[in-house]
Amino acid sequence: MMQATDTTTATAATDSFAAANTPTNAFIRQRRQLALWLAALIALLLLSLTLAITLGPVRMAPQLAWQITAHEIGQQLNHLGLNFGGSGGDWTVAQQQIVWRVRLPRVLLAALAGAGLAVVGVAMQAMVRNPLADPYLLGVSSGASVGAVSVLAFGTLAFAGELALPLGAFGGALAACTTVYFLAHAQGRLLASRLILGGVAIAYCLGGVTSLIVLTADQRELANSVLTWTLGSLAGTRWDELGLPALLLLAGVVLLLTQARSLNALLAGEETAMTLGVDTTRTRRWLFVLVSLVTGVLVALTGPIGFVGLIVPHVTRMLVGAEHRSVLPVAALVGAIFLVWVDVFSRISFAPAEVPVGVITSLLGGPFFVWMLCRKNARERLSL
């Protein structure tokens, strides 16, 4: 089953590679279709952001939400000496705080996290040529969990105040990725198979470390805090947390788009990539660094949110094919829309309680893959 999947993916990637480098009418049609997809998804993302801001225990009109947002942006520009002007409108202080301080930064982080995890998932699946690869394959989430638990249990990095938890999580993620990187080297080459095995091994080891800390620490509430963090959450997002993931996402997408040809070649297979002149070891090294950095930052801010980087790349390839110049921007938009609505559902479905985002993505991810496997089995039976 997996061999058939890999063969189909490799064939599609090879065909996409050839099409992307041949200025035919089919290629021109593909570019037009991509433009239509991007325009539709951008419009859908803007609509999703607007509705996500208005939905919640306190509901408000979309127009009011945008008026408050425009007013706050104007006030920020005034502080910079740009004389934007503007005064207060017909809204309460509570509504203003809900939109600007609570919901808008949270919704924007959901969009950034969804886009980032989706793009990293696309890169991971090309890097290791495995359709089941996701951003957490390299032990990032396990390393981040050890760092976060260390902060919660021992007060590590207490001098950093509110930044202690994300800094600890990022440090743990970086340490895990560095260990996997060295484990994956063999005779000067970075091998995909060793990346997978090293990531799985480190994840199991660090999972045991996390459990040991929780069980031996003399804190009754630690287990609940750890469970909440490891399930992923966007609650309490602040504006100052958005800058770094936004810059990393932008830089990552641009860099990956410039290397789309290499990603197509890697997805087609090791021998095919080398035949096409791609230095597979060098490409995997910088992909590893990029994937680790983006995933580490996102996990540090949101906790590990599973299945986004696994589901979205497959959905995107169903929509636009396997060519990475199309897959990457579409996956970013689909991932952003997906996680924005998952976060909305987590906020309002069991109100006044809030379900961690990772619980919802897991409940959606499992059935999705069962459906996808059944779909592939049906296709294989029809082809016989």
Side-chain angles (χ1 to χ4, degrees):
M1 177 66 190
M2 186 62 68
Q3 184 177 1
T5 301
D6 290 343
T7 302
T8 303
T9 303
T11 303
T14 305
D15 294 342
S16 299
F17 178 86
N21 292 278
T22 305
T24 62
N25 291 332
F27 178 67
I28 294 174
R29 286 196 300 270
Q30 184 182 13
R31 296 296 96 183
R32 289 176 179 172
Q33 290 175 356
L34 174 61
L36 291 175
W37 272 114
L38 292 177
L41 289 172
I42 289 172
L44 183 57
L45 176 60
L46 291 175
L47 177 62
S48 299
L49 293 173
T50 301
L51 294 177
I53 295 171
T54 62
L55 295 175
V58 178
R59 300 198 176 190
M60 58 189 70
Q63 182 180 1
L64 178 61
W66 279 114
Q67 288 175 347
I68 295 174
T69 302
H71 169 74
E72 289 292 340
I73 293 175
Q75 294 300 310
Q76 298 299 319
L77 293 176
N78 288 338
H79 289 319
L80 297 176
L82 298 180
N83 296 322
F84 184 80
S87 58
D90 187 19
W91 56 76
T92 66
V93 175
Q95 289 174 325
Q96 183 174 345
Q97 293 295 317
I98 290 172
V99 171
W100 185 253
R101 299 292 180 186
V102 179
R103 291 185 186 170
L104 185 55
R106 175 172 179 156
V107 169
L108 292 177
L109 182 59
L112 290 172
L117 291 174
V119 168
V120 168
V122 171
M124 278 292 304
Q125 290 171 11
M127 181 170 66
V128 302
R129 197 169 171 259
N130 189 323
L132 297 180
D134 76 341
Y136 305 125
L137 184 66
L138 303 178
V140 176
S141 61
S142 299
S145 296
V146 172
V149 171
S150 298
V151 172
L152 294 171
F154 309 125
T156 310
L157 303 176
F159 62 88
E162 294 182 349
L163 297 177
L165 186 61
L167 284 176
F170 179 71
L174 188 62
C177 288
T178 303
T179 304
V180 172
Y181 179 84
F182 286 109
L183 288 175
H185 268 83
Q187 299 177 349
R189 298 178 60 192
L190 191 63
L191 302 178
S193 59
R194 292 176 69 93
L195 274 174
I196 297 173
L197 293 174
V200 171
I202 292 300
Y204 275 114
C205 291
L206 294 181
V209 172
T210 300
S211 300
L212 181 64
I213 295 175
V214 173
L215 292 173
T216 57
D218 188 20
Q219 297 183 31
R220 293 184 178 180
E221 298 299 323
L222 180 60
N224 290 333
S225 300
V226 171
L227 179 62
T228 301
W229 189 87
T230 55
L231 291 176
S233 176
L234 298 166
T237 303
R238 304 188 308 271
W239 278 105
D240 57 3
E241 296 175 337
L242 301 179
L244 183 57
L247 289 175
L248 281 176
L249 176 62
L250 178 61
V253 171
V254 171
L255 182 58
L256 289 171
L257 283 173
T258 62
Q259 299 296 318
R261 176 181 177 276
S262 298
L263 292 173
N264 292 338
L266 283 177
L267 194 61
E270 188 85 14
E271 294 181 359
T272 303
M274 295 177 68
T275 302
L276 295 170
V278 176
D279 187 340
T280 57
T281 297
R282 181 179 179 182
T283 302
R284 284 198 177 98
R285 281 175 180 168
W286 72 258
L287 279 175
F288 181 91
V289 174
L290 178 63
V291 164
S292 302
L293 186 60
V294 174
T295 307
V297 169
L298 292 177
V299 171
L301 293 176
T302 67
I305 301 175
F307 279 102
V308 178
L310 197 59
I311 295 175
V312 174
H314 288 284
V315 173
T316 303
R317 292 190 186 100
M318 292 178 187
L319 297 176
V320 298
E323 208 282 310
H324 282 85
R325 288 186 183 91
S326 301
V327 172
L328 287 166
V330 172
L333 291 171
V334 172
I337 295 168
F338 174 71
L339 198 58
V340 165
W341 282 109
V342 167
D343 182 53
V344 170
F345 186 77
S346 73
R347 286 191 282 119
I348 68 176
S349 57
F350 297 95
E354 181 176 316
V355 179
V357 177
V359 173
I360 308 299
T361 57
S362 297
L363 291 174
L364 294 174
F368 172 82
F369 268 92
V370 171
W371 170 80
M372 192 175 72
L373 289 174
C374 293
R375 183 170 175 265
K376 289 185 179 295
N377 285 334
R379 284 185 174 182
E380 289 174 359
R381 285 196 297 268
L382 290 174
S383 63
L384 293 176

